[in-house]
Amino acid sequence: MPKITPNLWFDTQALEAAEFYVSVFPNSKVTNVSYYGEAGPRPAGTVLTVEFSLDGQDFTGINGGPEFTFDEAVSFQIGCADQDEVDHYWTELTADGGQESQCGWLKDKYGLSWQVVPDELGALMTDPDPQRAQRAMAAMLTMQKLDVAALRAAADGA
């Protein structure tokens, strides 16, 4: 199967964003930076692309200009083992101008959308008891950052 690498379009912040993301996720690094040459369309020597890896997932960031911006139609989901991981990624990604949304969604300071989701949510939402699943869903719909204990309690009818 061919390798698929998400390519993220930034105005001018591809390197800054890549450095931020590799500071947030473990086992991550910037792997290559290329620069505009004399042919443009940006000034020679400014960053063109940044290749980086977030815990084994490769990405490319391009400084393409202000013509395109991120929206919620594309997001990256972070599966979190527990509430501590949810809290960590939520705090890091909403820092310095990020925006909380609902149901575990947020936008980081670059406008990229993320879903910070506890792994347990899938089991709660597909519980064989449809009433448990519905209670978990109803609770999730009231939250911004997902709260594992509150989701469990809602599922249990507490």
Side-chain angles (χ1 to χ4, degrees):
M1 178 166 164
K3 183 176 180 180
I4 298 172
T5 303
N7 192 316
L8 307 174
W9 181 293
F10 295 89
D11 181 2
T12 60
Q13 319 91 329
L15 181 58
E16 176 186 321
E19 290 172 341
F20 170 68
Y21 298 138
V22 303
S23 76
V24 171
F25 294 92
N27 307 311
S28 301
K29 62 184 175 183
V30 172
T31 56
N32 189 49
V33 179
S34 68
Y35 299 88
Y36 280 100
E38 296 300 324
R42 297 276 180 130
T46 59
V47 173
L48 171 60
T49 63
V50 180
E51 296 171 18
F52 58 103
S53 174
L54 302 181
D55 200 19
Q57 171 63 55
D58 291 334
F59 290 83
T60 299
I62 182 170
N63 283 331
E67 294 83 6
F68 302 107
T69 57
F70 300 121
D71 67 32
E72 292 81 359
V74 174
S75 64
F76 294 104
Q77 182 173 316
I78 306 167
C80 299
D82 54 29
Q83 190 66 50
D84 287 341
E85 280 193 1
V86 169
D87 294 346
H88 166 75
Y89 290 115
W90 192 269
T91 299
E92 292 294 319
L93 293 169
T94 57
D96 300 323
Q99 300 173 342
E100 296 183 356
S101 188
Q102 61 186 32
C103 304
W105 288 58
L106 63 85
K107 280 189 177 184
D108 67 29
K109 61 186 171 183
Y110 302 102
L112 190 59
S113 292
W114 298 85
Q115 298 175 56
V116 183
V117 180
D119 292 337
E120 189 173 341
L121 181 64
L124 290 170
M125 302 298 265
T126 59
D127 193 281
D129 176 348
Q131 294 304 313
R132 284 192 90 237
Q134 286 302 309
R135 289 190 299 264
M137 170 70 93
M140 182 195 68
L141 292 172
T142 68
M143 297 177 184
Q144 289 182 304
K145 177 177 73 173
L146 299 182
D147 180 326
V148 176
L151 289 166
R152 276 188 212 127
D156 292 340

